[in-house]
Amino acid sequence: MDGTSDVIVVGAGVIGLSIAWRVAQRGLSVTVVDPAAGSGASWTAAGMLAPVTELHYEGRELLALNVESAARYPAFVADLAETTGMDVGYRRCGTVVAAWDAADLAALRDLHAFQVSLGVDSHLLTSRELRAQEPSLAAGLPGGLWAPGDHQVDNRLLHRALVRAATAAGAPLVSARVVGWRQAGERVTGVLTDDGRQFSAGTVVLAAGAWSGVTDGLPDPAVPPVRPVKGQTLRLRGPRELLGHVVRGSVRGNPVYVVPRADGSLVVGASSEEAGFDVRARTGAVFDLLRDAQTLVPGLSETEFVEVSTSVRPGSPDNAPLIGPSPLPGLLYATGHYRNGILLTPLTADLVTGLITGTGAVPPVCDPQRYAAEEART
Ligand SMILES: Cc1cc2nc3c(=O)[nH]c(=O)nc-3n(C[C@H](O)[C@H](O)[C@H](O)COP(=O)(O)OP(=O)(O)OC[C@H]3O[C@@H](n4cnc5c(N)ncnc54)[C@H](O)[C@@H]3O)c2cc1C
């Protein structure tokens, strides 16, 4: 045996690392296994913490989960800063949503009515109010929405800080790919890696993002219903004063956003495609994003183009994450966070830590057993 610990975490994106950090803080020994930590969706993401403007029509339970995680962010990043000395760019900047035309505005009004029915803090803006809130927006936009509680974090800094925090808490990162699973009867007792090593643990947490459903050797009943949803973001560098808030919008029905970081960089996103694990940047997606973002914020044309980043979101059948027991004893899921994994990081870490230490339960909306219960009903 190459290592024995209380907990093994498979995957070192923000989800796996935050779990490793929190569990290790409780005095348990943790091993994190990942061949390429920071290469997944956690690196490509835009870092919006947007329970309100990401709310479409999914419903009250998922909204409550997202709102709860957003509320945990200030304490989470403060603890992280104390442990690592790193500022992860958590900015309480609010989000402006701009409509492009009358049809977009009508859709925004419907969404606003739905949000208000759920008790969410969001406000309709007239054309004039929209420009006053964010003067760099194009002239003549018909109106929009203001979500004062939707903020941002720099997800790349967050990832770096979590690597540091997990390591400092005594959760070493093993650079290898999980290619097999150790079992004693039904019970999962460890993992095998592509360099021939074996690790054992009382609990194994599957946090491999979009790859959670394709980790080699996972027995059939334990394969989670997670699929890859391709997405691209662009990084630009512009004048620091260009935007004061996250700007989102819909241009002729195409969603687009621009996230201004404190250092003057800007993240433009995001495409969404069902394209398997193909993470090559697609020219048409880059073109669409630049065209639509520049339509809303004309000043983007003068910024420096820095980077295209592509990855796959871990999608689930109902867009809610899978956090909790798998069908096999000894194996927990922390996956399927789809478009909100950065937002859901603090809450996921707390929920999984609660399960492992026997001090908490997970809400039904993210309990992986909900699909089995649903099947039994139909
Ligand atoms: C374009 C885009 C924009 C996004 N914007 C936002 C946003 O603004 N706000 C937000 O909240 N969320 C956003 N998301 C979603 C968010 O990025 C994800 O939900 C989140 O990063 C998932 O984190 P994770 O740790 O589960 O997965 P990942 O970050 O993908 O990490 C999974 C890790 O598992 C590892 N792995 C895979 N297979 C194995 C194996 N066999 N053995 C060991 N390790 C393995 C990989 O190497 C990888 O490091 C966005 C995503 C994309 C793609």
Side-chain angles (χ1 to χ4, degrees), residues 182-277:
R182 289 171 52 82
Q183 279 186 266
E186 284 249 286
R187 187 169 192 86
V188 172
T189 59
V191 298
L192 317 176
T193 54
D194 59 348
D195 53 6
R197 288 187 279 175
Q198 298 195 19
F199 298 86
S200 72
T203 306
V204 180
V205 181
L206 179 57
W211 296 270
S212 300
V214 295
T215 37
D216 292 337
L218 193 59
D220 256 359
V223 174
V226 172
R227 71 181 198 287
V229 182
K230 182 177 180 179
Q232 285 178 212
T233 52
L234 315 175
R235 259 100 184 146
L236 314 178
R237 191 167 299 115
R240 202 181 294 258
E241 60 285 356
L242 185 64
L243 293 174
H245 313 283
V246 173
V247 167
R248 308 186 69 146
S250 168
V251 180
R252 296 177 201 92
N254 299 321
V256 65
Y257 54 73
V258 187
V259 183
R261 300 279 195 240
D263 65 359
S265 57
L266 300 144
V267 186
V268 175
S271 60
S272 185
E273 297 171 60
E274 302 277 347
F277 288 96

Side-chain angles (χ1 to χ4, degrees), residues 10-16 33-49 176-178 207-211 215 229 231-233 257 270-271 311-314 334-335 337-344:
V10 180
V14 290
I15 297 298
V33 187
D34 193 318
S39 62
S42 302
W43 194 252
T44 295
M48 293 181 297
L49 307 175
R177 197 161 75 88
V178 168
W211 296 270
T215 37
V229 182
Q232 285 178 212
T233 52
Y257 54 73
S271 60
S311 190
V312 276
R313 306 172 180 91
T335 185
H337 292 77
Y338 191 36
R339 299 174 62 94
N340 286 307
I342 309 297
L343 168 62
L344 285 168

Side-chain angles (χ1 to χ4, degrees), residues 8 18 31 41 88 113 181 188 202 215 243 262 279 282 284 296 344 348 374:
I8 292 170
S18 60
T31 305
V88 295
W181 301 78
V188 172
T215 37
L243 293 174
V279 291
R282 193 172 63 78
L296 291 180
L344 285 168
T348 303
E374 184 67 25

